[in-house]
Structure formats: structure tokens, C-alpha cells
Amino acid sequence: MNFSEILNKKKKNKMEVNQNPENTEQNEMLPGNETDNNEVIGDVEEGTSSANSESQISEEDKLKAEATEWQNKYLRLYAEFDNFKRRTSKERLELLQIAGKDVISDLLTVLDDFERAQKSIETATDVIAVKEGVTLVQHKLKGILNQKGLKEMESIGKEFDADLHEGITSIPAPSADLKGKVIDELEKGYLLNDKVIRFAKVIIGA
């Protein structure tokens, strides 16, 4: 009940009392206006306090509901991220396991050639023919690996580069222009798609 309704109700009650002759003198003697006003103000204050209390409770419930909603969103997001991480880890592991499948499939033909060459060697009498056969298999192997992005490093006569070479030892350079350069190569280095996969083991001229 708002302030206007309470005030109208009090005025109506006062008019009914004033219309009764028996209560006229008593009404004149009593400070009715002050009493009525105090009662109205008290009712208004009580209603306002109740409204404020309800508003405060409503705001608190709203904040609790909002906090619960954000917590649920966080839990769902965390669960989705955890599932994504597990899925990608599994896919990465599977990819690593089958990454060399194509290369190995192509190398199987080279393995077959080596088996045939081995059988030929057992009964061969012509060493030159055996040597040519082995050379052909080697070229075939290199060709397959080159198609997959593998390249040999050319190190001999080049400046020593720690990003490409692994210095094993150094010896006196046979000429002044070979100082600080690669004189000999103990083990070839290789690049895969222009990235080093094995450093060349070299001897450096001093």
C-alpha cells in the first residue's frame, strides 16, 4: 500500500467520525491531525523498510544467480579445453607413429633390390657386374630420399660453419687458402627440407 492510499484511508475514517454528533466534541479536544499524521508516517516508514528489505534480498539473489551462471560457464569451458587437449595429444601421437609410412613404403623397393643383389653375389663371378648393380641400387635409394626432401651437405673446401659442421679435429692446412676451411669429411651431413638433421663431421685446416 503506497502513501496516497494510506492517506486517503485515514481521511475517510476521520470524516466518518466527524459526522457522528456524539464524537464531535471529543474530536475537537483530541489532537487528531497530529495522531493521524504520525500513524500515516509510521505506516509509510514500515512499508518503505519492507520494500528496501525485499529489494536488498532480490539484488542478493540476482548476484548469486549470476555468480552461479559464470561458474557453470567456466566449468564447461574448462571441460571443453581438457577434451581438446587430450584429442590433439592423441592425434599428434598417431601422426608421429605413421609419419614415416610413405617413406618406408617407397624404400621397400630398394630393400627388394638389395635382396636380389645379395642372391646374385652368391653365384656371381663378374665383380664388375656386381659393383654396377650395387651402384644402381645406391642411386635408386638416393633418388627416393631426394624426392622426400633429403639433401647431402657439400662440406669439403667450405668455410667451417658451426651451424652445419661438427669439428672433429684440426690439422695443418696444406695451403694458406684452406686455413679455417673443411679439409676432409669423416661423416656426411644431411638436410631435410633445408633443415639440418645430421651435422657433418669434418676435419678443419689450421
Side-chain angles (χ1 to χ4, degrees), residues 4 7 10 18-19 43 46 48 51 61 63 97 102 106-107 120 126 136 140-142 147 176 184:
S4 299
L7 186 60
K10 294 297 181 178
N18 291 336
Q19 288 176 359
D43 292 339
E46 182 179 355
T48 303
D61 291 340
L63 292 174
Q97 290 175 345
D102 295 338
D106 292 339
L107 290 179
S120 298
D126 188 354
L136 289 174
K140 185 176 182 179
L141 176 60
K142 284 185 176 181
Q147 291 176 0
D184 197 5

Side-chain angles (χ1 to χ4, degrees), residues 5-44:
E5 291 176 348
I6 296 172
L7 186 60
N8 290 333
K9 184 176 179 182
K10 294 297 181 178
K11 287 182 178 179
K12 184 176 179 181
N13 292 336
K14 182 179 179 180
M15 289 175 63
E16 290 177 354
V17 173
N18 291 336
Q19 288 176 359
N20 190 343
E22 296 177 356
N23 297 330
T24 301
E25 294 180 357
Q26 294 178 0
N27 291 336
E28 291 177 353
M29 295 175 63
L30 294 173
N33 292 337
E34 294 181 0
T35 303
D36 291 343
N37 290 338
N38 291 336
E39 292 178 354
V40 171
I41 293 173
D43 292 339
V44 172

Side-chain angles (χ1 to χ4, degrees), residues 8 11 17 19 36 54 63 72 80 109 112 135 163 167:
N8 290 333
K11 287 182 178 179
V17 173
Q19 288 176 359
D36 291 343
E54 292 177 358
L63 292 174
N72 292 335
E80 290 176 0
T109 59
D112 294 337
T135 302
D163 293 332

Side-chain angles (χ1 to χ4, degrees), residues 113-179:
D113 290 341
F114 274 119
E115 289 179 353
R116 284 191 288 268
Q118 186 177 11
K119 290 180 181 179
S120 298
I121 290 172
E122 293 176 356
T123 58
T125 57
D126 188 354
V127 177
I128 296 176
V130 172
K131 182 179 178 180
E132 289 176 353
V134 173
T135 302
L136 289 174
V137 175
Q138 182 187 21
H139 287 327
K140 185 176 182 179
L141 176 60
K142 284 185 176 181
I144 292 174
L145 294 176
N146 287 337
Q147 291 176 0
K148 303 301 179 181
L150 186 70
K151 293 181 181 179
E152 292 182 1
M153 289 185 192
E154 295 182 2
S155 301
I156 297 178
K158 303 289 185 180
E159 291 285 345
F160 176 78
D161 187 349
D163 293 332
L164 301 174
H165 307 136
E166 181 181 346
I168 301 301
T169 186
S170 61
I171 60 174
S175 60
D177 60 326
L178 289 178
K179 288 184 178 181

